[in-house]
Coordinates of all heavy atoms in Angstrom, one line a residue:
M1 N 0.8 -1.2 0.0 CA 0.0 0.0 0.0 C 0.9 1.3 0.0 O 0.5 2.3 -0.6 CB -0.9 0.0 1.2 CG -1.9 1.1 1.3 SD -3.1 0.9 0.0 CE -4.3 2.1 0.5
G2 N 2.0 1.2 0.6 CA 2.9 2.3 0.7 C 3.4 2.8 -0.6 O 3.6 4.0 -0.9
W3 N 3.7 1.9 -1.6 CA 4.2 2.3 -2.9 C 3.1 3.0 -3.7 O 3.4 3.9 -4.5 CB 4.8 1.1 -3.6 CG 3.8 0.0 -4.0 CD1 3.4 -1.0 -3.1 CD2 3.1 -0.1 -5.2 NE1 2.5 -1.8 -3.8 CE2 2.3 -1.3 -5.0 CE3 3.0 0.6 -6.3 CZ2 1.4 -1.7 -6.0 CZ3 2.1 0.2 -7.3 CH2 1.4 -1.0 -7.2
I4 N 1.8 2.7 -3.5 CA 0.7 3.4 -4.2 C 0.7 4.8 -3.7 O 0.5 5.7 -4.5 CB -0.6 2.6 -4.0 CG1 -0.6 1.2 -4.7 CG2 -1.8 3.4 -4.6 CD1 -1.8 0.4 -4.4
I5 N 0.7 5.0 -2.4 CA 0.7 6.3 -1.8 C 2.0 7.1 -2.3 O 1.9 8.3 -2.6 CB 0.7 6.3 -0.3 CG1 -0.7 5.7 0.1 CG2 0.8 7.7 0.3 CD1 -0.8 5.4 1.6
A6 N 3.1 6.5 -2.4 CA 4.3 7.1 -2.9 C 4.2 7.6 -4.3 O 4.6 8.7 -4.7 CB 5.5 6.2 -2.7
L7 N 3.5 6.8 -5.1 CA 3.3 7.2 -6.5 C 2.3 8.4 -6.6 O 2.5 9.3 -7.4 CB 2.7 6.0 -7.3 CG 3.7 4.8 -7.6 CD1 3.0 3.7 -8.3 CD2 4.9 5.3 -8.4
I8 N 1.3 8.3 -5.8 CA 0.3 9.4 -5.8 C 1.0 10.7 -5.3 O 0.8 11.8 -6.0 CB -0.9 9.1 -5.0 CG1 -1.7 7.9 -5.7 CG2 -1.8 10.3 -4.8 CD1 -2.8 7.3 -4.8
V9 N 1.6 10.7 -4.2 CA 2.3 11.9 -3.6 C 3.4 12.3 -4.5 O 3.5 13.5 -4.8 CB 2.8 11.6 -2.2 CG1 3.6 12.7 -1.7 CG2 1.6 11.3 -1.2
G10 N 4.2 11.4 -5.1 CA 5.2 11.8 -6.0 C 4.6 12.5 -7.3 O 5.2 13.4 -7.8
G11 N 3.5 11.9 -7.8 CA 2.9 12.6 -8.9 C 2.4 14.0 -8.6 O 2.5 14.9 -9.5
V12 N 1.8 14.2 -7.5 CA 1.3 15.5 -7.1 C 2.5 16.5 -6.9 O 2.4 17.6 -7.4 CB 0.4 15.4 -5.8 CG1 0.1 16.8 -5.3 CG2 -0.9 14.7 -6.1
A13 N 3.5 16.0 -6.3 CA 4.7 16.9 -6.0 C 5.4 17.2 -7.4 O 5.7 18.4 -7.6 CB 5.7 16.2 -5.1
G14 N 5.5 16.2 -8.3 CA 6.1 16.5 -9.6 C 5.2 17.4 -10.4 O 5.7 18.3 -11.1
W15 N 3.9 17.3 -10.3 CA 3.0 18.1 -11.1 C 3.1 19.6 -10.6 O 3.2 20.5 -11.4 CB 1.6 17.6 -10.9 CG 0.5 18.5 -11.5 CD1 0.4 18.8 -12.9 CD2 -0.5 19.1 -10.8 NE1 -0.7 19.6 -13.0 CE2 -1.3 19.8 -11.8 CE3 -0.9 19.2 -9.5 CZ2 -2.4 20.6 -11.4 CZ3 -2.0 19.9 -9.2 CH2 -2.7 20.6 -10.1
L16 N 3.1 19.8 -9.3 CA 3.2 21.1 -8.7 C 4.5 21.7 -9.1 O 4.6 22.9 -9.4 CB 3.0 21.1 -7.2 CG 1.6 20.7 -6.7 CD1 1.6 20.6 -5.2 CD2 0.6 21.8 -7.2
A17 N 5.6 20.9 -9.0 CA 6.9 21.5 -9.4 C 7.0 21.8 -10.9 O 7.6 22.8 -11.2 CB 8.0 20.5 -9.0
S18 N 6.3 21.0 -11.7 CA 6.4 21.3 -13.2 C 5.6 22.6 -13.5 O 5.9 23.4 -14.4 CB 5.8 20.2 -14.0 OG 4.4 20.0 -13.8
I19 N 4.5 22.9 -12.7 CA 3.8 24.1 -12.9 C 4.6 25.3 -12.5 O 4.7 26.3 -13.2 CB 2.5 24.1 -12.1 CG1 1.5 23.1 -12.7 CG2 1.8 25.5 -12.0 CD1 0.2 22.9 -11.9
V20 N 5.3 25.2 -11.3 CA 6.1 26.3 -10.8 C 7.3 26.6 -11.7 O 7.7 27.7 -12.0 CB 6.7 26.0 -9.4 CG1 7.8 26.9 -8.9 CG2 5.5 26.0 -8.4
M21 N 7.9 25.5 -12.3 CA 9.1 25.7 -13.2 C 8.7 25.9 -14.6 O 9.6 26.0 -15.5 CB 10.0 24.5 -13.0 CG 10.6 24.3 -11.7 SD 11.5 25.7 -11.1 CE 12.9 25.5 -12.1
G22 N 7.4 26.0 -15.0 CA 7.0 26.3 -16.3 C 7.2 25.1 -17.3 O 7.4 25.3 -18.5
R23 N 7.2 23.9 -16.9 CA 7.4 22.7 -17.7 C 6.1 21.9 -17.8 O 6.2 20.7 -18.2 CB 8.6 21.9 -17.2 CG 9.9 22.6 -17.3 CD 11.0 21.8 -17.1 NE 11.0 20.6 -17.9 CZ 11.8 20.3 -18.9 NH1 12.6 21.3 -19.3 NH2 11.7 19.2 -19.6
N24 N 5.0 22.4 -17.3 CA 3.8 21.5 -17.2 C 3.3 21.0 -18.6 O 2.9 19.9 -18.7 CB 2.7 22.3 -16.6 CG 1.5 21.4 -16.1 OD1 1.7 20.3 -15.8 ND2 0.3 22.0 -16.2
A25 N 3.5 21.9 -19.6 CA 3.0 21.5 -21.0 C 3.8 20.3 -21.6 O 3.3 19.6 -22.4 CB 3.0 22.7 -21.9
S26 N 5.1 20.2 -21.2 CA 6.0 19.3 -21.8 C 6.1 18.0 -21.0 O 6.8 17.1 -21.5 CB 7.4 19.9 -22.0 OG 8.0 20.1 -20.8
M27 N 5.4 17.9 -19.9 CA 5.5 16.7 -19.0 C 4.2 16.0 -18.9 O 3.2 16.6 -18.8 CB 6.0 17.0 -17.7 CG 7.5 17.6 -17.6 SD 8.0 18.1 -16.0 CE 7.8 16.6 -15.1
G28 N 4.2 14.7 -19.0 CA 3.0 13.9 -18.8 C 3.0 13.4 -17.4 O 3.8 13.7 -16.5
I29 N 2.0 12.6 -17.1 CA 1.8 12.1 -15.7 C 2.9 11.1 -15.3 O 3.4 11.2 -14.2 CB 0.4 11.3 -15.6 CG1 0.1 11.1 -14.1 CG2 0.4 10.1 -16.4 CD1 -1.3 10.7 -13.9
F30 N 3.5 10.4 -16.3 CA 4.6 9.5 -15.9 C 5.8 10.3 -15.5 O 6.4 9.9 -14.4 CB 4.9 8.6 -17.1 CG 6.0 7.6 -16.8 CD1 5.9 6.5 -15.9 CD2 7.3 7.8 -17.4 CE1 6.9 5.7 -15.7 CE2 8.3 7.0 -17.1 CZ 8.2 5.9 -16.3
L31 N 6.2 11.3 -16.2 CA 7.3 12.1 -15.8 C 7.1 12.9 -14.5 O 8.0 13.1 -13.8 CB 7.7 13.0 -17.0 CG 8.5 12.4 -18.1 CD1 8.8 13.5 -19.2 CD2 9.8 11.8 -17.6
N32 N 5.8 13.3 -14.3 CA 5.5 13.9 -13.0 C 5.7 13.0 -11.9 O 6.3 13.4 -10.8 CB 4.0 14.4 -13.0 CG 3.8 15.7 -13.8 OD1 4.8 16.5 -14.0 ND2 2.6 15.9 -14.3
I33 N 5.4 11.8 -12.0 CA 5.6 10.8 -10.9 C 7.1 10.5 -10.7 O 7.5 10.5 -9.6 CB 4.8 9.5 -11.2 CG1 3.3 9.7 -11.2 CG2 5.2 8.4 -10.3 CD1 2.5 8.5 -11.7
V34 N 7.8 10.4 -11.8 CA 9.2 10.1 -11.7 C 9.9 11.3 -11.1 O 10.7 11.2 -10.1 CB 9.8 9.8 -13.1 CG1 11.4 9.8 -13.1 CG2 9.3 8.5 -13.6
V35 N 9.6 12.5 -11.5 CA 10.2 13.7 -11.0 C 9.9 13.9 -9.5 O 10.7 14.2 -8.7 CB 9.8 15.0 -11.8 CG1 10.1 16.3 -11.0 CG2 10.5 15.0 -13.1
G36 N 8.6 13.6 -9.1 CA 8.2 13.7 -7.7 C 8.9 12.7 -6.8 O 9.4 13.0 -5.7
C37 N 9.1 11.5 -7.3 CA 9.7 10.4 -6.5 C 11.2 10.7 -6.4 O 11.8 10.6 -5.3 CB 9.5 9.1 -7.1 SG 7.7 8.5 -6.9
I38 N 11.9 11.1 -7.4 CA 13.3 11.4 -7.4 C 13.5 12.7 -6.6 O 14.4 12.9 -5.8 CB 13.9 11.6 -8.8 CG1 13.9 10.2 -9.5 CG2 15.3 12.1 -8.7 CD1 14.3 10.2 -10.9
G39 N 12.5 13.6 -6.7 CA 12.5 14.9 -5.9 C 12.4 14.6 -4.4 O 13.0 15.3 -3.6
S40 N 11.7 13.6 -4.1 CA 11.6 13.2 -2.7 C 12.9 12.8 -2.1 O 13.3 13.1 -1.0 CB 10.6 12.1 -2.5 OG 10.5 11.7 -1.2
I41 N 13.7 12.0 -2.9 CA 15.0 11.6 -2.5 C 15.9 12.8 -2.4 O 16.6 12.9 -1.4 CB 15.6 10.5 -3.5 CG1 14.7 9.3 -3.5 CG2 17.0 10.2 -3.2 CD1 15.0 8.3 -4.6
I42 N 15.9 13.7 -3.4 CA 16.8 14.9 -3.3 C 16.4 15.7 -2.2 O 17.2 16.3 -1.4 CB 16.7 15.6 -4.7 CG1 17.3 14.8 -5.8 CG2 17.4 17.0 -4.6 CD1 17.1 15.4 -7.2
G43 N 15.1 15.9 -1.9 CA 14.6 16.8 -0.8 C 15.0 16.2 0.5 O 15.4 17.0 1.4
N44 N 15.0 14.9 0.7 CA 15.4 14.3 2.0 C 16.9 14.4 2.1 O 17.4 14.6 3.3 CB 15.0 12.9 2.0 CG 13.5 12.7 2.6 OD1 13.2 13.3 3.6 ND2 12.7 12.0 1.8
L45 N 17.7 14.3 1.0 CA 19.1 14.5 1.1 C 19.5 15.9 1.5 O 20.5 16.1 2.2 CB 19.8 14.1 -0.2 CG 19.8 12.6 -0.6 CD1 20.4 12.4 -2.0 CD2 20.6 11.8 0.4
L46 N 18.7 16.9 1.1 CA 19.0 18.3 1.4 C 18.5 18.7 2.7 O 19.1 19.3 3.5 CB 18.4 19.2 0.3 CG 19.0 19.1 -1.1 CD1 18.2 20.0 -2.0 CD2 20.4 19.5 -1.1
S47 N 17.2 18.3 3.1 CA 16.6 18.8 4.3 C 17.1 18.0 5.5 O 17.1 18.6 6.6 CB 15.1 18.7 4.2 OG 14.7 17.3 4.2
G48 N 17.5 16.8 5.4 CA 18.0 16.0 6.5 C 19.2 16.6 7.2 O 19.1 17.0 8.4
P49 N 20.3 16.8 6.5 CA 21.5 17.3 7.2 C 21.3 18.8 7.5 O 21.9 19.3 8.5 CB 22.6 17.1 6.2 CG 22.1 16.1 5.2 CD 20.6 16.2 5.2
L50 N 20.6 19.6 6.6 CA 20.6 21.0 6.8 C 19.6 21.4 7.8 O 19.8 22.3 8.6 CB 20.2 21.7 5.4 CG 21.2 21.6 4.3 CD1 20.7 22.2 3.0 CD2 22.5 22.2 4.7
L51 N 18.4 20.8 7.8 CA 17.3 21.2 8.7 C 16.9 20.2 9.8 O 16.2 20.5 10.7 CB 16.1 21.6 7.9 CG 16.2 22.7 6.8 CD1 15.0 22.8 6.0 CD2 16.6 24.0 7.5
G52 N 17.4 19.0 9.6 CA 17.0 17.9 10.6 C 15.6 17.4 10.4 O 15.0 16.9 11.3
I53 N 15.1 17.6 9.2 CA 13.7 17.3 8.9 C 13.7 16.1 7.8 O 14.4 16.2 6.8 CB 12.9 18.4 8.3 CG1 12.8 19.6 9.3 CG2 11.5 18.0 8.0 CD1 12.2 20.9 8.8
R54 N 13.0 15.1 8.1 CA 12.8 14.0 7.1 C 11.3 13.9 6.8 O 10.5 14.1 7.7 CB 13.3 12.7 7.7 CG 14.8 12.7 8.0 CD 15.5 12.1 6.9 NE 16.9 12.1 7.2 CZ 17.8 12.1 6.3 NH1 17.5 12.1 5.0 NH2 19.1 12.1 6.6
G55 N 11.0 13.5 5.6 CA 9.6 13.2 5.2 C 9.6 12.1 4.2 O 10.4 12.0 3.3
S56 N 8.6 11.2 4.4 CA 8.4 10.1 3.6 C 7.2 10.2 2.7 O 6.2 10.8 3.2 CB 8.3 8.8 4.4 OG 8.0 7.7 3.6
V57 N 7.3 9.8 1.5 CA 6.1 9.8 0.6 C 5.4 8.5 0.7 O 4.3 8.3 0.0 CB 6.5 10.2 -0.8 CG1 6.9 11.6 -0.9 CG2 7.4 9.2 -1.4
Q58 N 5.8 7.5 1.5 CA 5.2 6.2 1.6 C 4.0 6.3 2.5 O 3.1 5.5 2.3 CB 6.1 5.2 2.0 CG 7.1 4.8 0.9 CD 8.0 3.7 1.4 OE1 8.2 3.4 2.5 NE2 8.6 3.0 0.4
S59 N 3.9 7.2 3.4 CA 2.7 7.4 4.2 C 2.5 8.9 4.1 O 3.3 9.7 4.4 CB 2.9 7.0 5.6 OG 4.0 7.8 6.2
F60 N 1.3 9.3 3.6 CA 1.0 10.7 3.3 C 1.2 11.6 4.5 O 0.7 11.3 5.6 CB -0.4 10.9 2.8 CG -0.7 12.3 2.5 CD1 -0.1 12.9 1.3 CD2 -1.4 13.1 3.3 CE1 -0.3 14.2 1.0 CE2 -1.6 14.4 3.0 CZ -1.1 15.0 1.9
S61 N 2.0 12.6 4.4 CA 2.1 13.7 5.3 C 2.4 15.0 4.6 O 3.0 14.9 3.5 CB 3.3 13.4 6.4 OG 4.5 13.4 5.7
L62 N 2.1 16.1 5.2 CA 2.3 17.4 4.5 C 3.8 17.6 4.4 O 4.3 18.2 3.4 CB 1.6 18.5 5.3 CG 1.6 19.8 4.6 CD1 0.9 19.8 3.3 CD2 0.9 20.8 5.5
T63 N 4.5 17.2 5.5 CA 6.0 17.4 5.5 C 6.6 16.6 4.3 O 7.5 17.2 3.6 CB 6.6 16.9 6.8 OG1 6.0 17.6 7.9 CG2 8.1 17.2 6.8
G64 N 6.2 15.4 4.1 CA 6.7 14.6 3.0 C 6.4 15.2 1.6 O 7.2 15.2 0.7
L65 N 5.2 15.7 1.5 CA 4.8 16.4 0.2 C 5.6 17.6 0.0 O 6.1 17.9 -1.1 CB 3.3 16.7 0.2 CG 2.7 17.4 -1.0 CD1 2.9 16.5 -2.2 CD2 1.3 17.8 -0.8
I66 N 5.8 18.4 1.0 CA 6.6 19.7 0.8 C 8.1 19.4 0.5 O 8.7 20.0 -0.4 CB 6.5 20.6 2.1 CG1 5.1 21.1 2.2 CG2 7.5 21.7 2.1 CD1 4.8 21.8 3.5
I67 N 8.6 18.4 1.2 CA 10.0 18.0 0.9 C 10.1 17.4 -0.5 O 11.1 17.7 -1.3 CB 10.5 17.0 1.9 CG1 10.7 17.7 3.3 CG2 11.8 16.3 1.5 CD1 11.1 16.8 4.4
A68 N 9.2 16.6 -1.0 CA 9.2 16.1 -2.3 C 9.0 17.2 -3.3 O 9.7 17.2 -4.4 CB 8.1 15.0 -2.5
F69 N 8.2 18.2 -3.1 CA 8.0 19.3 -3.9 C 9.3 20.1 -4.1 O 9.7 20.5 -5.2 CB 6.8 20.2 -3.4 CG 6.7 21.5 -4.1 CD1 6.3 21.6 -5.4 CD2 7.1 22.7 -3.4 CE1 6.2 22.9 -6.0 CE2 7.0 23.9 -4.0 CZ 6.6 24.0 -5.3
V70 N 9.9 20.4 -3.0 CA 11.2 21.2 -3.0 C 12.2 20.5 -3.8 O 13.0 21.0 -4.6 CB 11.6 21.6 -1.6 CG1 13.0 22.2 -1.6 CG2 10.7 22.5 -1.0
G71 N 12.4 19.2 -3.5 CA 13.3 18.4 -4.3 C 13.0 18.3 -5.7 O 13.9 18.3 -6.6
A72 N 11.7 18.2 -6.1 CA 11.4 18.2 -7.5 C 11.7 19.5 -8.2 O 12.1 19.5 -9.4 CB 9.9 17.8 -7.6
V73 N 11.5 20.6 -7.5 CA 11.8 21.9 -8.1 C 13.3 22.0 -8.3 O 13.8 22.5 -9.3 CB 11.3 23.1 -7.1 CG1 11.9 24.4 -7.5 CG2 9.8 23.2 -7.2
V74 N 14.1 21.5 -7.3 CA 15.6 21.5 -7.5 C 15.9 20.6 -8.7 O 16.8 21.0 -9.5 CB 16.3 21.0 -6.2 CG1 17.7 20.7 -6.5 CG2 16.1 22.0 -5.1
L75 N 15.3 19.5 -8.8 CA 15.6 18.6 -9.9 C 15.3 19.2 -11.3 O 16.1 19.2 -12.2 CB 14.9 17.3 -9.8 CG 15.0 16.2 -10.9 CD1 16.5 15.8 -11.1 CD2 14.1 15.1 -10.7
L76 N 14.1 19.8 -11.4 CA 13.7 20.5 -12.6 C 14.6 21.7 -12.9 O 14.8 22.0 -14.1 CB 12.2 20.9 -12.6 CG 11.2 19.7 -12.7 CD1 9.8 20.2 -12.5 CD2 11.4 19.0 -14.0
G77 N 15.0 22.4 -11.9 CA 16.0 23.5 -12.1 C 17.3 23.0 -12.7 O 17.8 23.7 -13.6
I78 N 17.8 21.9 -12.2 CA 19.0 21.3 -12.8 C 18.8 20.9 -14.2 O 19.6 21.2 -15.1 CB 19.5 20.2 -11.9 CG1 19.9 20.7 -10.5 CG2 20.6 19.4 -12.6 CD1 20.2 19.6 -9.5
V79 N 17.7 20.2 -14.5 CA 17.4 19.8 -15.9 C 17.3 21.0 -16.8 O 17.8 21.0 -17.9 CB 16.1 19.0 -15.9 CG1 15.6 18.7 -17.3 CG2 16.3 17.6 -15.2
N80 N 16.5 22.1 -16.3 CA 16.4 23.3 -17.1 C 17.7 23.9 -17.4 O 18.0 24.4 -18.5 CB 15.5 24.3 -16.4 CG 14.0 23.9 -16.6 OD1 13.6 23.1 -17.4 ND2 13.2 24.5 -15.8
F81 N 18.6 23.9 -16.4 CA 19.9 24.6 -16.6 C 20.7 23.9 -17.7 O 21.3 24.5 -18.5 CB 20.7 24.5 -15.2 CG 22.0 25.2 -15.3 CD1 22.2 26.6 -15.4 CD2 23.2 24.4 -15.4 CE1 23.4 27.1 -15.5 CE2 24.4 25.0 -15.5 CZ 24.5 26.4 -15.6
F82 N 20.7 22.5 -17.7 CA 21.5 21.8 -18.7 C 20.8 21.8 -20.0 O 21.5 21.7 -21.1 CB 21.8 20.4 -18.2 CG 22.9 20.4 -17.1 CD1 22.6 20.1 -15.8 CD2 24.2 20.7 -17.5 CE1 23.6 20.0 -14.9 CE2 25.2 20.6 -16.5 CZ 24.9 20.3 -15.2
R83 N 19.5 21.9 -20.1 CA 18.8 21.9 -21.4 C 18.7 23.2 -22.0 O 18.9 23.4 -23.2 CB 17.4 21.3 -21.3 CG 17.4 19.8 -21.2 CD 16.1 19.3 -21.5 NE 16.1 17.9 -21.9 CZ 15.1 17.2 -22.1 NH1 13.9 17.8 -22.1 NH2 15.2 16.0 -22.5
R84 N 18.4 24.2 -21.2 CA 18.1 25.6 -21.8 C 19.2 26.6 -21.5 O 19.2 27.7 -22.0 CB 16.8 26.1 -21.2 CG 15.6 25.3 -21.5 CD 14.4 25.9 -20.9 NE 13.2 25.0 -21.1 CZ 12.1 25.2 -20.5 NH1 11.9 26.2 -19.7 NH2 11.1 24.4 -20.8
G85 N 20.1 26.3 -20.5 CA 21.1 27.2 -20.2 C 20.7 28.2 -19.1 O 21.4 29.1 -18.7
K86 N 19.5 28.0 -18.6 CA 19.0 28.9 -17.5 C 18.1 28.0 -16.6 O 17.6 27.0 -17.0 CB 18.2 30.1 -18.0 CG 17.1 29.8 -18.9 CD 16.4 31.0 -19.4 CE 15.3 30.6 -20.3 NZ 14.6 31.8 -20.9
V87 N 18.0 28.4 -15.3 CA 17.3 27.6 -14.4 C 15.8 27.6 -14.6 O 15.1 26.7 -14.5 CB 17.6 28.1 -12.9 CG1 16.7 27.3 -11.9 CG2 19.0 27.9 -12.6
R88 N 15.2 28.8 -15.0 CA 13.8 28.9 -15.2 C 13.4 28.7 -16.6 O 13.8 29.0 -17.6 CB 13.3 30.2 -14.7 CG 11.8 30.2 -14.6 CD 11.3 30.6 -13.3 NE 9.9 30.7 -13.4 CZ 9.1 30.5 -12.4 NH1 9.5 30.4 -11.3 NH2 7.8 30.5 -12.6

């Protein structure tokens, strides 16, 4: 059951990040889920040592969603930088 919740939360986080970063038109639901799940890993890697906060997307929590969203924005910023030469 945890992986289904992780896919849903990852999809929502990836979708919100794609809207913020202006990539919503070029991404489908599959890429939103991938970006959200990878963003969750990146977010936990950043927020754990820096802030002492951990969030899991396997059981829904607002903290996990926010951390996944921030990580997904960072991931899309990196992708935009290498593809377009600018972060946004």
Side-chain angles (χ1 to χ4, degrees):
M1 185 69 170
W3 62 275
I4 294 173
I5 295 172
L7 291 176
I8 293 169
V9 172
V12 170
W15 174 64
L16 292 173
S18 69
I19 289 172
V20 168
M21 297 302 289
R23 295 190 51 105
N24 193 32
S26 65
M27 294 178 56
I29 190 165
F30 179 72
L31 281 179
N32 283 335
I33 292 171
V34 170
V35 166
C37 291
I38 294 173
S40 175
I41 295 168
I42 293 171
N44 276 309
L45 288 175
L46 294 175
S47 69
L50 295 176
L51 304 173
I53 301 172
R54 296 265 181 204
S56 174
V57 293
Q58 289 185 338
S59 60
F60 180 77
S61 69
L62 189 58
T63 306
L65 179 64
I66 291 170
I67 289 174
F69 168 72
V70 170
V73 168
V74 169
L75 176 63
L76 287 177
I78 293 169
V79 169
N80 284 346
F81 180 74
F82 284 110
R83 282 197 159 177
R84 300 180 184 170
K86 58 183 178 178
V87 174
R88 190 128 178 155

